[in-house]
Amino acid sequence: MLHYQPRYDTMTMRVRSVEALVRWNHPLRGLLMPDAFVGLAEETGLILPLGTWVLQQACAAVASYDDLIVSANVSPAQFRYPAIVAHVQAALQDNRLPGKRLELELTETMLLEDGGKAGVIMGRLKALGIELAMDDFGTGFSSLGYLRRFPFDRLKIDRQFVADLRPTGQARAIIQAMLGLGRALGLGVTAEGVETAEQLLVLRADRCDEVQGFLFGSPMTERELATLLRAPSPPQDPVAQANGLISSAV
Ligand code: G
Ligand code: MN
């Protein structure tokens, strides 16, 4: 099944998009995270039908909302086949979703293997109107070259940097550099793994445009998402609660 984790506009705290995350509700082992089964799915070739199913489900999940964007993680195996373009197109068409409502999250490892082919596939995906995000940004070794060569729209700062984010220190300097890079290249930047109000305050001060993490919500079912989005006002701003305590620190 798919769970959805909201991604928030850092300034307004409105849900801009949701990331679709695969979970396997195993009869004996309970709820399994992708790490526990994606390797097996890749070995058995099941990753391709799984990926296609994820695209269809994700598009269906947001089709009934006005402007909610859904992002789906793409596996390297899926990205190796040009058929992904047709699968994305079918998922959009079947759910009458304009391309701009879908975003794909790619990691740089999937660009390593065959740069030329990946670039062509990315170009075709962009032609459908969808957005492309570089996931886990900062963890690889030549992200900058990829940013130049491939048509990304957004960087997702890996949560390892956000985990260490304090008002002073190395993590903030690195994140500021990433944000500067994003601005200079005209890319949106999402901070993943935001867990504390202090981290949110720092990201706000540094003008990171989108945030995601346990502070705002864990991945949730489609039904829980509907409840969240039907709420009359944006969920209570965690910063508003914490502001008095720590704003002087930033
Ligand atoms: O690689 P990717 O960035 O797509 O990873 C998504 C995973 O990160 C999901 O499995 C989700 O449960 C997890 N996740 C989401 N928010 C947080 C967070 O605030 N902290 C931590 N530790 N993990 C998170
Ligand atoms: Mn992701």
Side-chain angles (χ1 to χ4, degrees):
M1 65 174 153
L2 281 187
H3 277 183
Y4 300 89
Q5 188 180 32
R7 289 163 46 175
Y8 290 82
D9 181 297
T10 313
M11 290 303 164
T12 64
M13 293 317 292
R14 288 188 45 139
V15 179
R16 278 191 61 242
S17 58
V18 291
E19 176 172 0
L21 296 157
V22 220
R23 301 289 184 253
W24 178 13
N25 205 352
H26 191 280
L28 301 177
R29 293 167 60 196
L31 200 62
L32 299 182
M33 302 293 128
D35 297 349
F37 60 86
V38 162
L40 187 64
E42 283 185 346
E43 281 166 34
T44 55
L46 282 177
I47 196 77
L48 297 178
L50 177 67
T52 308
W53 176 84
V54 166
L55 288 170
Q56 284 284 348
Q57 289 281 310
C59 288
V62 297
S64 65
Y65 298 101
D66 283 344
D67 50 11
L68 187 65
I69 297 168
V70 69
S71 66
N73 294 282
V74 177
S75 79
Q78 217 181 340
F79 203 70
R80 231 173 271 138
Y81 294 94
I84 188 174
V85 181
H87 294 153
V88 167
Q89 193 168 22
L92 292 172
Q93 265 168 10
D94 294 351
N95 296 287
R96 300 174 197 281
L97 205 66
K100 64 176 200 297
R101 302 268 306 279
L102 175 66
E103 180 189 86
L104 295 183
E105 300 192 8
L106 315 176
T107 58
E108 67 179 89
T109 41
M110 60 180 65
L111 304 174
L112 267 177
E113 295 175 3
D114 180 2
K117 206 163 126 195
V120 172
I121 293 179
M122 287 173 79
R124 290 193 195 140
L125 289 169
K126 292 274 310 171
L128 299 176
I130 69 163
E131 305 239 303
L132 300 175
M134 188 185 276
D135 208 358
D136 308 332
F137 184 68
T139 56
F141 50 83
S142 67
S143 313
L144 301 183
Y146 291 125
L147 287 184
R148 220 167 69 144
R149 274 167 55 207
F150 299 111
F152 282 102
D153 303 288
R154 176 168 291 279
L155 305 176
K156 293 193 77 183
I157 299 178
D158 191 77
R159 64 172 171 270
Q160 77 177 58
F161 301 101
V162 179
D164 295 332
L165 182 58
R166 309 276 178 278
T168 56
Q170 201 189 34
R172 186 174 187 182
I174 293 173
I175 287 179
Q176 282 174 335
M178 291 178 176
L179 289 166
L181 184 66
R183 266 192 289 279
L185 296 175
L187 308 174
V189 181
T190 306
E192 303 180 310
V194 179
E195 294 184 357
T196 69
E198 184 181 68
Q199 290 163 352
L200 174 59
L201 278 176
V202 175
L203 290 162
R204 217 178 242 180
D206 290 343
R207 293 183 293 141
C208 178
D209 72 296
E210 197 178 79
V211 285
Q212 173 182 15
F214 293 162
L215 177 64
F216 320 103
S218 310
M220 58 186 83
T221 63
E222 202 174 329
R223 183 190 282 242
E224 289 164 338
L225 179 68
T227 308
L228 174 77
L229 295 175
R230 266 202 312 267
S233 54
Q236 233 189 348
D237 183 347
V239 162
Q241 297 164 10
N243 235 347
L245 293 175
I246 57 171
S247 59
S248 57
V250 179

